[in-house]
Amino acid sequence: DTEVTQTPKHLVMGMTNKKSLKCEQHMGHRAMYWYKQKAKKPPELMFVYSYEKLSINESVPSRFSPECPNSSLLNLHLHALQPEDSALYLCASSQAREAGYEQYFGPGTRLTVT
Amino acid sequence: SQKIEQNSEALNIQEGKTATLTCNYTNYSPAYLQWYRQDPGRGPVFLLLIRENEKEKRKERLKVTFDTTLKQSLFHITASQPADSATYLCALDVAPYYGNNRLAFGKGNQVVVIP
């Protein structure tokens, strides 16, 4: 199984809402990632987890809060977002966080903040 | 500053021909370079990884070259098919020496294969 799943596929939320994005992989990968992608732009790294510990936070605003409950699951908790946070949020995983491993991406969650 | 450049103009190509895409980078010294395919509204799909000591890598109809002197990678799709129409992203492993699999992506190059 080389699949990374993400739920929900689409999410519309107001600026005062709290919501969560979920990501799951069953490939035994030990590194997991959150990316943000705006239209016509490349994916931008937000967070990296390695062995369920936060390894990289790319200076992401605190209204985005990641969580890795276990080696297969990755969550992104959202609170008090701004309209400019509307984007495609991608989860990815790789065998390890060391360089040289390809990343497997999920289909993404299309987030709209109203 | 560090840059990864891919052609912003779409490449329109006749079915059966070879599509060639270019990825140029500056102020990076990646040990690895990867290519991904992305369809609209979907996540990127890994295609090929090439190491700095490899000149060329092939997978079915795909070929990648990596010239660390020119700081350039070329991506070829031979015998192109309409199903190859997508955006192709170049990605550099920008922190190979720090133990982090941190990819920096180019903006991507759209390919349109005309039947």
Side-chain angles (χ1 to χ4, degrees):
Chain A
D1 182 7
T2 58
E3 191 180 21
V4 174
T5 59
Q6 289 187 245
T7 55
K9 288 188 178 178
H10 301 275
L11 179 62
V12 179
M13 60 186 289
M15 289 190 284
T16 58
N17 291 159
K18 282 186 182 180
K19 295 285 185 184
S20 297
L21 309 185
K22 296 186 183 303
C23 173
E24 191 166 4
Q25 57 89 13
H26 293 289
M27 294 177 277
H29 287 174
R30 303 321 301 257
M32 296 186 76
Y33 311 80
W34 280 114
Y35 288 86
K36 172 182 177 180
Q37 187 175 27
K38 298 277 242 182
K40 305 290 186 187
K41 299 285 188 183
E44 294 178 7
L45 184 65
M46 299 174 72
F47 302 104
V48 180
Y49 272 83
S50 177
Y51 289 87
E52 300 155 50
K53 287 186 170 36
L54 185 63
S55 174
I56 295 174
N57 176 340
E58 291 286 82
S59 303
V60 179
S62 60
R63 56 186 185 268
F64 295 91
S65 175
E67 178 196 17
C68 191
N70 60 54
S71 60
S72 299
L73 292 173
L74 188 65
N75 297 324
L76 186 63
H77 303 297
L78 313 173
H79 174 55
L81 295 193
Q82 304 297 310
E84 59 264 29
D85 296 322
S86 298
L88 181 68
Y89 287 84
L90 296 162
C91 173
S93 70
S94 65
Q95 189 171 335
R97 72 168 189 151
E98 284 75 26
Y101 290 102
E102 65 269 27
Q103 294 186 15
Y104 292 82
F105 285 81
T109 293
R110 174 69 61 189
L111 174 68
T112 303
V113 181
T114 61
Chain B
S1 64
Q2 297 162 321
K3 287 184 187 176
I4 303 169
E5 293 179 324
Q6 294 186 257
N7 196 338
S8 57
E9 287 186 19
L11 176 65
N12 294 313
I13 190 159
Q14 208 68 36
E15 183 176 2
K17 300 291 186 184
T18 296
T20 298
L21 306 180
T22 304
C23 175
N24 294 305
Y25 58 91
T26 56
N27 296 326
Y28 284 118
S29 296
Y32 306 90
L33 189 146
Q34 303 185 27
W35 284 87
Y36 289 78
R37 168 187 172 139
Q38 188 170 25
D39 292 287
R42 307 285 296 174
V45 174
F46 170 75
L47 297 175
L48 283 166
L49 180 152
I50 187 164
R51 293 173 171 75
E52 61 180 342
N53 60 351
E54 297 176 314
K55 294 294 183 190
E56 181 179 299
K57 201 83 171 276
R58 291 175 186 260
K59 178 183 173 184
E60 296 173 353
R61 294 183 295 109
L62 307 179
K63 185 177 86 171
V64 170
T65 63
F66 190 12
D67 189 324
T68 55
T69 302
L70 289 179
K71 293 187 180 292
Q72 181 182 80
S73 175
L74 298 178
F75 176 81
H76 306 272
I77 307 171
T78 58
S80 58
Q81 303 168 358
D84 295 325
S85 299
T87 295
Y88 292 86
L89 299 163
C90 163
L92 306 185
D93 224 319
V94 295
Y97 306 110
Y98 299 98
N100 288 319
N101 191 358
R102 184 193 301 234
L103 291 180
F105 284 86
K107 284 187 179 180
N109 198 174
Q110 186 183 6
V111 172
V112 178
V113 181
I114 303 162

